[in-house]
Amino acid sequence: MDLSFILNHLGEERGEYFNAVAPPVMQSTNFCFPTVAEMREGLTKEFETPFYTRGYNPTVGILRKKIAALEGAEDALIFGSGSAAIAAAVMSVVKAGDHAICVGKPYSWTNALLNDYLSKYGVKATMIDGTSIENFEKAIIPDTKLIYLESPNSLTFEMQDIAAVCALAKKKNITVICDNSYSSPLSQSPIALGADIVVHSASKYLNGHSDIVAGVLCASKERIDSLFAKEFMTLGAIISPHDAWLMIRGLRTLELRVDRSSESAQKVAEYLEKHPKIDKIFYPFLPSDPQYALAKKQMKRGGGLLSIVIKAEKTEQVERFCDNLKRFLLACSWGSYESLAFPLCALKGSQSYDKPLPWNLVRLYIGLEDADLLIADLDQALAKV
Ligand SMILES: Cc1ncc(COP(=O)(O)O)c(C=O)c1O
């Protein structure tokens, strides 16, 4: 199925709503039936027909089809946040007594889920450096049921060889979940590489307008059917019809936004790599990156995120750089239209990662502004360090 069809038409049965070009926001909690027999029939298909919006809503239904097609999955579920999608995915795989392997430095609330929250239900997790397949081999024990990947992660962009990890997991009957938020479905396809479940923070590229928090989960029909009846309906962390509609609208320009953000980020990364005030740069699509070969093997291009370590002796120098940026907003998150800067020195506590991150690291998200203007802005702010 071609990308433009998915983004512009898939799932949109226009004849069912007055041939409106844009779908309606089906802002209704429940849906009624003319007869008891039809109501009974509706209840047997709560998953795919309008009955009660926690289960199925027609606006969300359109979005589900588009998201599944984008990831090359049989089906998808949409959640009220990326963290909700991740929690449902993980909880669908593990039970008391099970062991999970997770790559080091995942998104902070994924780390909290696996290391703090699930321990009270008797699930153990081992965090590993996922850059080498041997580390996965060594960490597997008879109780291992889950391998959790985030490739690349969203701060220092370490990658895992997704195909190699999935091949190993298949041999051992272990389920692989991959957070694909960094790349978007346009730049990396974990399911094609063997992953069982793909999750995204849809608050990032998929929506792309910094106006909703949402998550998606993609998998086989069998897995989604089971997840729907258990974690999805029980936890009830759904997206609202209005937010689903906003995401459908955001998706119309997914290709344009991801192309622009990636191209500009590459240009900015190449500029910053040579800058005398930069000690180190993290960007998977620079030939100097230690995992460049793997990046080229499994991703089509780099994303809009990159991190820099500024040559500085004091926090104030990093603060001066950030405070002088005119075209970057100081904010968390990423994946939308606006360029952002997130300095690690803004975090109060220490990082709970296996290796501490440099205090003078600043993560930049390159949005849709003109790349040359962003470079000029970075240049003037670096001059003030
Ligand atoms: C890589 C990654 N995964 C998951 C999440 C969680 O998504 P959400 O904020 O939509 O709950 C984030 C949020 O920043 C993220 O960066």
Side-chain angles (χ1 to χ4, degrees):
M1 206 181 298
D2 67 279
L3 179 61
S4 55
F5 180 76
I6 298 171
L7 302 179
N8 293 312
H9 305 298
L10 180 68
E12 300 183 63
E13 308 293 341
R14 297 189 168 103
E16 288 178 14
Y17 38 82
F18 310 105
N19 294 314
V21 170
V25 185
M26 208 60 81
Q27 194 73 38
S28 183
T29 311
N30 46 359
F31 298 84
C32 58
F33 298 86
T35 65
V36 175
E38 283 161 272
M39 189 178 202
R40 191 176 295 123
E41 171 74 6
L43 246 183
T44 61
K45 295 186 193 145
E46 223 186 326
F47 175 53
E48 54 199 357
T49 57
F51 186 84
Y52 186 62
T53 277
R54 176 153 45 81
Y56 182 88
N57 174 280
T59 310
V60 182
I62 296 173
L63 185 54
R64 268 177 56 188
K65 290 202 176 109
K66 289 186 192 293
I67 296 294
L70 284 172
E71 275 298 351
E74 286 174 7
D75 208 343
L77 290 169
I78 317 292
F79 291 80
S81 72
S83 292
I86 291 165
V90 168
M91 287 158 92
S92 76
V93 177
V94 292
K95 58 175 181 353
D98 286 347
H99 172 248
I101 296 171
C102 179
V103 290
K105 295 191 258 172
Y107 175 60
S108 52
W109 291 104
T110 303
N111 189 49
L113 172 76
L114 283 161
N115 285 302
D116 305 334
Y117 194 80
L118 284 180
S119 62
K120 78 175 179 182
Y121 296 103
V123 175
K124 289 200 183 70
T126 304
M127 310 302 280
I128 61 160
D129 170 357
T131 58
S132 107
I133 189 77
E134 289 77 43
N135 294 344
F136 287 93
E137 284 161 358
K138 275 192 239 144
I140 293 174
I141 57 173
D143 289 335
T144 308
K145 292 289 169 339
L146 167 67
I147 293 182
Y148 190 94
L149 309 181
E150 193 181 297
S151 184
N153 71 26
S154 60
L155 260 183
T156 43
F157 319 115
E158 284 87 11
M159 286 159 272
Q160 302 93 53
D161 185 332
I162 300 174
V165 175
C166 292
L168 171 69
K170 287 236 151 50
K171 271 195 255 157
K172 308 265 181 188
N173 217 9
I174 298 169
T175 302
V176 176
I177 301 177
C178 183
D179 183 331
N180 199 26
S181 305
Y182 172 93
S183 292
S184 94
L186 304 194
S187 305
Q188 179 171 268
S189 302
I191 289 186
L193 296 171
D196 301 290
I197 305 179
V198 171
V199 285
H200 281 266
S201 169
S203 327
K204 313 295 188 270
Y205 289 119
L206 293 174
N207 179 59
H209 290 75
S210 288
D211 49 14
I212 69 165
V213 173
V216 305
L217 184 163
C218 305
S220 67
K221 178 103 186 70
E222 191 186 354
R223 210 176 266 280
I224 294 278
D225 282 350
S226 161
L227 240 145
F228 174 80
K230 295 176 189 149
E231 292 75 23
F232 188 77
M233 285 303 269
T234 312
L235 300 173
I238 60 164
I239 190 170
S240 73
H242 184 245
D243 284 359
W245 185 87
L246 284 170
M247 207 202 295
I248 293 169
R249 190 165 74 157
L251 282 178
R252 308 286 189 206
T253 54
L254 180 70
E255 188 182 15
L256 305 177
R257 290 186 284 103
V258 171
D259 281 357
R260 168 87 168 196
S261 170
S262 292
E263 275 165 27
S264 298
Q266 183 76 38
K267 202 166 171 187
V268 172
E270 283 165 13
Y271 157 78
L272 287 172
E273 189 181 30
K274 296 190 207 99
H275 199 287
K277 298 240 170 112
I278 303 293
D279 209 16
K280 189 172 164 78
I281 179 158
F282 297 89
Y283 191 66
F285 261 68
L286 284 177
S288 57
D289 188 277
Q291 290 187 291
Y292 180 59
L294 177 60
K296 287 219 300 190
K297 187 174 99 169
Q298 65 187 17
M299 293 161 68
K300 292 202 183 98
R301 58 194 155 183
L305 276 178
L306 56 106
S307 291
I308 48 176
V309 178
I310 295 180
K311 275 188 193 152
E313 270 135 43
K314 290 183 269 167
T315 317
E316 292 82 65
Q317 290 169 282
V318 179
E319 286 184 23
R320 221 175 296 140
F321 164 71
C322 293
D323 293 349
N324 276 290
L325 289 168
K326 308 261 184 304
R327 306 249 177 195
F328 290 76
L329 305 177
L330 294 186
C332 66
S333 200
W334 47 275
S336 287
Y337 56 90
E338 76 287 10
S339 291
L340 302 168
F342 180 74
L344 271 201
C345 64
L347 295 173
K348 273 205 203 118
S350 63
Q351 296 288 299
S352 57
Y353 302 135
D354 49 353
K355 280 185 213 142
L357 291 163
W359 58 271
N360 41 350
L361 182 145
V362 180
R363 185 179 74 184
L364 299 172
Y365 171 68
I366 307 302
L368 307 184
E369 300 91 338
D370 183 274
D372 291 330
L373 292 178
L374 294 176
I375 288 173
D377 191 32
L378 290 163
D379 202 55
Q380 65 79 24
L382 280 168
K384 312 231 164 57
V385 168

